[in-house]
Amino acid sequence: MERRRLGSTGYTVSELGFGASPLGGVFGPITSEEDAVRAVREAVDAHGINLFDTSPYYGNTESERVLGKCLSQLGDRDAYVLATKVGRYGRDEFDYSAARVRASVVESMQRLRVRRLDIVQCHDVEFADRWQIIAEETLPALARLRDEGVIGAIGLTGLPLSVYPTILEHTAVEVDVALSYCHACLCDTSLADSGVLRYLYEKGVGVLNASPLCMGLLTERGPPPWHPAPPALKAHCAAAARWVTEHAMECTGTPVTIAELALPYAVRCVGDGRIASTLVGIDSHATLSKNVQALRAPLNERLLQQVLRMLAPVHNQSWPSGAAWAQHDAIPMMEGREGAREQGDGICP
Ligand code: NAD
């Protein structure tokens, strides 16, 4: 598995990262904890995946607990880079205060059975009432923990792309990592199109792209009931998923699902190498194997171009998330935007 530098953090991470929210049952029950242990072990030992991402929010701390159990069986703490989050604890439960940051980090370390955390990110920052809370309270609290050596690097996560420049331009803290989700995938390339990817990369912030399957929109099974996408986006993704299943054999000679197209597209075709790692949700050993296999297979250009055409009417459609301050467009804040759709235009390597 190719490894890439994560901004200026000093960490080198696998191009495919292990998204552990499904281990908290976020998308449905997992096969078993034994199967999760096997998935984590094989991810590290057989496939060279070394980045794991979780949060106390996922499954009401269950993802951290299960992941901690899995990682504890690896033995070598240096074999992986472990990322978790602070600030979001339930669907409508947020606390970005400095006091909660410190307590949350200690609790996460206990559940994850580690003595240090490599990356701690402010989770879904758009839900803070004001950006000043993140810039002036949450990030400084995390920076103190970084200074003390309790955590290695600090970051931000959120859906609206404008949150990154808004906060980074106004905080005195050096932010190491930005985790964006659902904005670098088959139906949405706005992370690159908006100029935010270039902005982050040029600042030396390590960029993580999460949810390359758009939280289930780009799967045969479809999204979970809680998925916030607008109906048109859901309908176009479902139609594209059906089309891939029905036409894969005639295009490639083997069965292919939309997920097996969407994952390599996100990893290889978006971002020109400026995304350090793509975090895909892994719920089982079987899902891990499918995804590693999908990354190794060549991308079928006919399938890809047809799916991009089918998704064009809803390209870069997203959904509102968080407080009013975070809802404005990131594009006017950037010096120049990159050409929309540029990554989908040619044959991906
Ligand atoms: P995803 O798009 O990676 O996956 C969506 C669903 O598809 C999951 O149920 C996953 O198990 C399943 N899946 C994976 N591979 C598949 C395959 N080959 N075929 C069929 N189904 C497959 O969405 P995600 O899990 O939400 O995102 C990945 C990770 O990124 C999360 O686990 C989390 O660590 C991180 N993330 C963070 C934030 C944030 O910080 N705000 C938001 C979203 C995701």
Side-chain angles (χ1 to χ4, degrees), residues 112 131 135 149 173 271 338:
L112 287 161
W131 58 258
V173 171
E338 299 181 30

Side-chain angles (χ1 to χ4, degrees), residues 19 21 27 53 58 85 124 157 181 210-211 213 215 279 281 287 291:
S21 68
F27 292 89
D53 180 71
Y58 301 146
K85 311 189 184 84
D124 292 343
T157 86
Y181 69 100
S211 306
L213 313 182
M215 300 194 303
L279 287 159
T287 302
N291 286 335

Side-chain angles (χ1 to χ4, degrees), residues 1-4 12-19 43-44 47-53 81 208-213 259 262-268 275-282 287-296:
M1 181 80 55
E2 189 184 318
R3 298 230 170 144
R4 298 181 187 156
T12 305
V13 292
S14 47
E15 62 178 343
L16 190 66
F18 192 119
V44 174
H47 304 305
I49 291 173
N50 75 336
L51 176 63
F52 292 83
D53 180 71
V81 175
L208 301 176
N209 170 37
S211 306
L213 313 182
L263 182 67
Y265 177 79
V267 173
R268 291 193 217 135
I275 293 170
S277 183
T278 297
L279 287 159
V280 66
I282 303 290
T287 302
L288 172 76
S289 303
K290 264 195 288 189
N291 286 335
V292 169
Q293 183 56 37
L295 260 194
R296 289 195 189 121

Side-chain angles (χ1 to χ4, degrees), residues 33-223:
E33 289 189 14
E34 291 66 40
D35 182 73
V37 168
R38 182 175 170 207
V40 167
R41 178 173 291 285
E42 285 200 15
V44 174
D45 290 346
H47 304 305
I49 291 173
N50 75 336
L51 176 63
F52 292 83
D53 180 71
T54 182
S55 163
Y57 170 47
Y58 301 146
N60 191 21
T61 70
E62 188 65 359
S63 165
E64 285 193 335
R65 186 192 68 75
V66 174
L67 182 61
K69 176 176 174 179
C70 298
L71 292 173
S72 70
Q73 305 196 18
L74 292 178
D76 182 6
R77 176 64 184 86
D78 293 330
Y80 57 88
V81 175
L82 180 54
T84 190
K85 311 189 184 84
V86 295
R88 184 164 200 178
Y89 303 98
R91 215 180 91 84
D92 299 311
E93 198 188 330
F94 304 90
D95 186 344
Y96 298 101
S97 67
R100 189 71 183 97
V101 163
R102 195 162 269 270
S104 186
V105 163
V106 171
E107 290 160 15
S108 288
M109 287 197 294
Q110 284 165 354
R111 282 189 291 269
L112 287 161
R113 308 190 196 186
V114 292
R115 290 210 196 103
R116 69 161 205 275
L117 291 168
D118 301 305
I119 304 168
V120 179
Q121 304 151 106
C122 305
H123 198 167
D124 292 343
V125 291
E126 69 269 25
F127 287 94
D129 293 338
R130 299 174 301 123
W131 58 258
Q132 287 88 343
I133 295 169
I134 305 294
E136 295 164 12
E137 178 161 354
T138 323
L139 285 171
L142 283 173
R144 281 192 289 280
L145 289 165
R146 184 177 56 188
D147 292 344
E148 292 166 20
V150 178
I151 65 183
I154 64 183
L156 301 174
T157 86
L159 183 74
L161 289 164
S162 66
V163 299
Y164 300 104
T166 299
I167 292 171
L168 291 174
E169 292 303 314
H170 291 99
T171 184
V173 171
E174 195 175 317
V175 174
D176 306 300
V177 176
L179 183 159
S180 158
Y181 69 100
C182 296
H183 289 314
C185 59
L186 275 176
C187 54
D188 187 327
T189 51
S190 56
L191 175 62
D193 302 340
S194 64
V196 169
L197 177 60
R198 181 170 59 202
Y199 167 83
L200 294 168
Y201 187 77
E202 288 176 358
K203 266 183 123 43
V205 176
V207 181
L208 301 176
N209 170 37
S211 306
L213 313 182
C214 216
M215 300 194 303
L217 286 181
L218 301 168
T219 62
E220 261 188 323
R221 182 170 76 162

